Amino acid sequence: MKKVRLGVLASGRGSNLQAIIDNIEKGSLSAKIAVVISDQPSAYALERARQHTIAAAHVSARGFKGKREEYDSLLVKELQKWDVDIVCLAGFMRIITPTLISAFPNRILNIHPALLPAFPGLHVQKAALEHGVKFSGCTVHFVDEGMDTGPIIIQAVVPILDHDTEESLSARILQQEHTIYSRAIQLYAEGRLSVQGRRVTVSKGGKSGEEFLINP
Ligand code: GRF
């Protein structure tokens, strides 16, 4: 069977990318990373790709200020050039536009370090701490045209401890991110996700007792 081809978009250190690479190499994720694309020439994510002989492309955003749609058409061209089936946003620090979304309908995934719909946007681990919530976590969702609003595929819960700082909480959430992103991609690869309105249902087929809300 043809493996699902991923296009990973990342702007920074790429630890989620690394977890996906590791899971593919271990055989627990049946997919192929066709290309890693970054808007930042020095993103460590590009280096990680090269270290694993994965195509790495820098698509510069220079000259595209106020022209997000035009930049996104470049991304679409690059993704199509590599025959990508799904796009995984992994710390991609740009707002994407309908140009990209309509080229990959319900085929763009994002990982967010909070339990959506609580705390969308940036600096969300700090926001969760300051709000005093007792649990936070992370969410893998399909991307729609809103900010972190698309249909939710998997979430993992992370309890907030009294002594937590933004750093300690972020680190525990990140650990869970590294697990659930690959799981969501695997479900997609197995053809088990269907989206009806806001709800994503997961058809049976995997191990029994599989859970899509993960409590560590
Ligand atoms: C992660 O916390 C992810 O949830 C958010 O951006 C961060 C990216 O981290 N969208 P990394 O580059 O994958 O290490």
Side-chain angles (χ1 to χ4, degrees), residues 12-17 90-91 93 110-113 125 174 177-178:
R13 66 187 166 182
S15 73
N16 276 288
L17 165 68
M93 300 305 287
N110 183 41
I111 178 96
H112 181 77
Q125 299 94 333
L174 194 62
E177 294 182 34
H178 293 165

Side-chain angles (χ1 to χ4, degrees), residues 10-19 45 48 89-93 110-114 121-122 124-125 137-139 148 170 173-174 177-178 181:
S11 300
R13 66 187 166 182
S15 73
N16 276 288
L17 165 68
Q18 188 67 53
R48 292 185 196 265
L89 306 182
F92 190 57
M93 300 305 287
N110 183 41
I111 178 96
H112 181 77
L122 293 175
V124 296
Q125 299 94 333
C138 46
T139 304
D148 301 321
S170 302
I173 292 176
L174 194 62
E177 294 182 34
H178 293 165
Y181 212 173

Side-chain angles (χ1 to χ4, degrees), residues 56-76:
H58 167 227
V59 178
S60 172
R62 217 174 246 195
F64 288 93
K65 201 155 183 250
K67 300 180 194 163
R68 288 187 205 282
E69 301 273 354
E70 285 178 36
Y71 178 77
D72 280 2
S73 341
L74 287 188
L75 290 181
V76 170

Side-chain angles (χ1 to χ4, degrees), residues 40-62:
Q40 300 296 327
S42 57
Y44 191 56
L46 291 176
E47 181 54 32
R48 292 185 196 265
R50 291 185 200 110
Q51 283 170 7
H52 291 262
T53 58
I54 295 168
H58 167 227
V59 178
S60 172
R62 217 174 246 195

Side-chain angles (χ1 to χ4, degrees), residues 18-29 51-52 54:
Q18 188 67 53
I20 293 168
I21 294 173
D22 293 345
N23 286 323
I24 291 174
E25 291 183 353
K26 273 196 309 212
S28 59
L29 172 56
Q51 283 170 7
H52 291 262
I54 295 168

